[in-house]
Amino acid sequence: MTYSVGLLVRTGLVMISDSRTNAGVDNISTYRKMTVWENPGERVIVALSAGNLAVTQAALQLMNEGMPTGSGRISMKNVTSMSEAARLAGWALREVDHIDGPSLRNSGVGFSASLLLGGQIAGRQLRMFQVYAEGNFIQVMSETPYLQIGEFKYGKPIIDRVVRFDSSLATAAKCGLVSMDSTIKSNLSVAPPIHLLVYERDSLHVKVHAVMQDDDPYWQSLRRTWDAGLHDRFAQLPDPAWIT
Amino acid sequence: MTYSVGLLVRTGLVMISDSRTNAGVDNISTYRKMTVWENPGERVIVALSAGNLAVTQAALQLMNEGMPTGSGRISMKNVTSMSEAARLAGWALREVDHIDGPSLRNSGVGFSASLLLGGQIAGRQLRMFQVYAEGNFIQVMSETPYLQIGEFKYGKPIIDRVVRFDSSLATAAKCGLVSMDSTIKSNLSVAPPIHLLVYERDSLHVKVHAVMQDDDPYWQSLRRTWDAGLHDRFAQLPDPAWIT
């Protein structure tokens, strides 16, 4: 499994993913789930993927190589808007489904994949989409400024509590990491290294792309501080009346 | 859906359940999911149920009426141990599956049900079981002193962080309620009133059975204090190095 989250706030975009892939508990490996197309000053597009690894790798390959058209290929390197990028991702997933879907369904595996796709192209809006296995997609809106894929439930309550469209990029990044920490604590199928990408709106270049191993000093400090803070605050909860 | 949790600590047992039942989002109702068989001084048995409401109600009815044997009926009112109670619950679920399972499966609904069953009978150990739809069961152990059924993921991280077998009954109750609060915040299919039952080991009577509506003063105070505490501690998390 996977846990990935994208947070789109007024000042920019934060995208975070784990790196565990598993085919049963006796076959786990580390694969990056974040793909970045960056042409500084012109475009930053980031994809996070979840689901069947063969499916998402094939789709990302197609998104990179491009869709054939009468006048050449449309790829993530030359799409002219983020909604065109989302349509390209949808096309890629449908292509893979066309090729691999029948065999997967025949063996009862099913065709599972989802993508978060965020970014900005010069002169256009910063946007983020969730692209479904079926190739259709939704766009994030400011009322709920985040999207999650994979094992999303463990890490959802803290984001619901903390993040708003007006939150700072630092708050979005820290809350996304805390959400990842909660997920890792309770689900073995999600694990470091953690990819953290931070993009400032209209900057057209990646501000931060950190890859944090389990012993990363900031990641460790964040986890420790949060855990200690939770215990401290938990100890201050009011006692029920029946305590004697 | 449902969220129910049982926590078995050194000094006793805490069982908590929500009350929302839904058949689609346009058909929600309130049903209690906690059933108590108490004969003060002799037995306290508590069942929490999740899954198809018709299935769990039928199983609970059978557990109450009892399983016919050569010498009368064995029910929750006269089982002589908690493991006998778990076997009775398993038998009840299998009986319901025998009667209703084929029709459910024919219409694609499936046979879904699970139970948490905790309690103590005079002269025997305090125990808690999770009984599966198939009628088999597991027992809680002190290494992981809790069991959950229903929408368990949202509220799992805080229990993993806080509750140990040596935690107090008050800590177990408060953590269970915080876990319920996190679940309610992120999942519409879980809602008050909240049933909270507290049992002190070897007491053989129910210490507390509180039914908290959304406006219950203690529930409100707990939620407010926790939310404020989380925001406060979140604000104190270390900033990443890239903050300028």
Side-chain angles (χ1 to χ4, degrees):
Chain A
M1 285 294 291
T2 289
Y3 176 51
S4 292
V5 57
L7 306 109
L8 195 152
V9 294
R10 189 176 296 283
T11 50
L13 177 71
V14 172
M15 299 191 84
I16 301 174
S17 61
D18 83 310
S19 301
R20 175 150 290 176
T21 296
N22 68 301
V25 288
D26 56 349
N27 187 2
I28 65 171
S29 341
T30 300
Y31 281 86
R32 61 185 291 176
K33 299 166 189 173
M34 180 181 286
T35 308
V36 184
W37 292 271
E38 181 185 21
N39 179 10
E42 195 269 328
R43 77 179 52 218
V44 170
I45 301 178
V46 187
L48 307 182
S49 52
N52 183 306
L53 186 64
V55 168
T56 57
Q57 283 190 348
L60 287 163
Q61 177 91 6
L62 286 174
M63 289 153 64
N64 194 54
E65 290 174 356
M67 174 170 62
T69 68
S71 53
R73 285 177 171 270
I74 298 180
S75 79
M76 286 297 170
K77 290 167 277 189
N78 63 11
V79 287
T80 58
S81 69
M82 284 306 298
S83 54
E84 195 178 335
R87 285 194 297 275
L88 173 64
W91 165 82
L93 284 165
R94 286 171 180 160
E95 279 292 296
V96 179
D97 193 2
H98 184 68
I99 299 163
D100 296 335
S103 305
L104 288 172
R105 289 186 188 91
N106 269 346
S107 55
V109 178
F111 183 84
S112 81
S114 55
L115 297 172
L116 294 185
L117 195 67
Q120 188 170 21
I121 291 164
R124 308 298 301 250
Q125 288 296 313
L126 171 61
R127 296 173 84 179
M128 180 169 64
F129 297 90
Q130 176 169 352
V131 188
Y132 298 103
E134 293 76 11
N136 59 343
F137 47 85
I138 58 169
Q139 184 189 177
V140 77
M141 308 288 265
S142 56
E143 292 80 3
T144 304
Y146 71 92
L147 291 168
Q148 302 169 294
I149 53 177
E151 280 286 359
F152 69 91
K153 293 185 180 182
Y154 306 99
K156 189 172 188 295
I158 189 65
I159 304 180
D160 284 335
R161 284 183 200 271
V162 170
V163 178
R164 301 290 174 267
F165 184 65
D166 285 320
S167 298
S168 70
L169 268 177
T171 293
K174 285 190 282 186
C175 192
L177 291 173
V178 165
S179 165
M180 180 63 76
D181 175 38
S182 297
T183 309
I184 287 173
K185 269 222 177 328
S186 292
N187 190 307
L188 263 188
S189 74
V190 176
I194 311 300
H195 282 252
L196 164 71
L197 185 139
V198 181
Y199 172 76
E200 275 178 357
R201 191 183 288 264
D202 299 330
S203 69
L204 296 170
H205 65 85
V206 172
K207 181 182 176 75
V208 177
H209 184 172
V211 182
M212 291 178 279
Q213 301 288 342
D214 212 14
D215 61 356
D216 178 89
Y218 179 67
W219 172 243
Q220 290 246 338
S221 146
L222 191 82
R223 299 188 85 177
R224 255 199 320 269
T225 313
W226 182 242
D227 195 60
L230 285 185
H231 278 90
D232 178 58
R233 282 308 182 149
F234 186 86
Q236 293 174 37
L237 287 178
D239 275 328
W242 48 265
I243 292 282
T244 46
Chain B
M1 284 294 290
T2 290
Y3 175 50
S4 293
V5 57
L7 306 108
L8 195 152
V9 294
R10 188 176 298 284
T11 50
L13 176 72
V14 172
M15 300 190 82
I16 301 174
S17 61
D18 83 310
S19 301
R20 175 151 290 176
T21 295
N22 69 302
V25 288
D26 56 349
N27 187 1
I28 64 172
S29 342
T30 299
Y31 281 86
R32 61 186 291 177
K33 299 166 189 174
M34 180 182 286
T35 307
V36 183
W37 291 271
E38 182 186 19
N39 178 9
E42 195 269 329
R43 76 179 53 217
V44 170
I45 301 178
V46 186
L48 306 182
S49 53
N52 184 306
L53 186 63
V55 168
T56 57
Q57 283 190 348
L60 287 163
Q61 177 90 7
L62 286 175
M63 287 153 65
N64 194 54
E65 290 175 357
M67 174 169 63
T69 67
S71 53
R73 287 176 171 270
I74 298 180
S75 78
M76 285 298 169
K77 291 169 274 187
N78 62 13
V79 287
T80 57
S81 70
M82 284 307 298
S83 56
E84 194 178 336
R87 284 194 299 275
L88 173 64
W91 165 82
L93 284 164
R94 285 173 180 158
E95 278 294 296
V96 178
D97 192 4
H98 184 67
I99 298 163
D100 296 333
S103 305
L104 288 171
R105 289 187 187 90
N106 269 347
S107 56
V109 178
F111 183 84
S112 80
S114 54
L115 298 171
L116 294 185
L117 195 68
Q120 188 170 19
I121 292 165
R124 308 297 300 249
Q125 286 297 311
L126 171 61
R127 297 172 84 179
M128 180 170 62
F129 297 88
Q130 176 170 353
V131 188
Y132 298 104
E134 294 76 11
N136 58 344
F137 48 86
I138 58 170
Q139 183 189 178
V140 78
M141 308 287 264
S142 57
E143 294 80 2
T144 304
Y146 71 91
L147 291 167
Q148 303 168 293
I149 53 177
E151 281 286 358
F152 68 91
K153 293 185 181 183
Y154 305 99
K156 187 172 189 296
I158 189 63
I159 303 181
D160 284 336
R161 285 184 200 272
V162 170
V163 177
R164 301 290 174 269
F165 184 65
D166 284 322
S167 298
S168 70
L169 267 178
T171 293
K174 286 191 280 186
C175 191
L177 290 173
V178 164
S179 166
M180 179 63 76
D181 175 39
S182 297
T183 309
I184 286 174
K185 269 221 173 331
S186 292
N187 191 309
L188 265 187
S189 74
V190 177
I194 310 300
H195 283 250
L196 164 70
L197 184 141
V198 180
Y199 172 77
E200 276 178 357
R201 191 183 289 264
D202 299 330
S203 70
L204 296 171
H205 65 86
V206 172
K207 180 182 176 72
V208 176
H209 184 171
V211 182
M212 291 178 278
Q213 301 289 342
D214 213 14
D215 60 356
D216 179 89
Y218 179 67
W219 172 242
Q220 290 247 341
S221 147
L222 191 83
R223 298 188 85 177
R224 253 199 321 269
T225 313
W226 183 241
D227 194 61
L230 284 185
H231 278 90
D232 178 59
R233 282 309 182 148
F234 186 85
Q236 293 175 36
L237 287 178
D239 275 329
W242 50 265
I243 291 283
T244 48

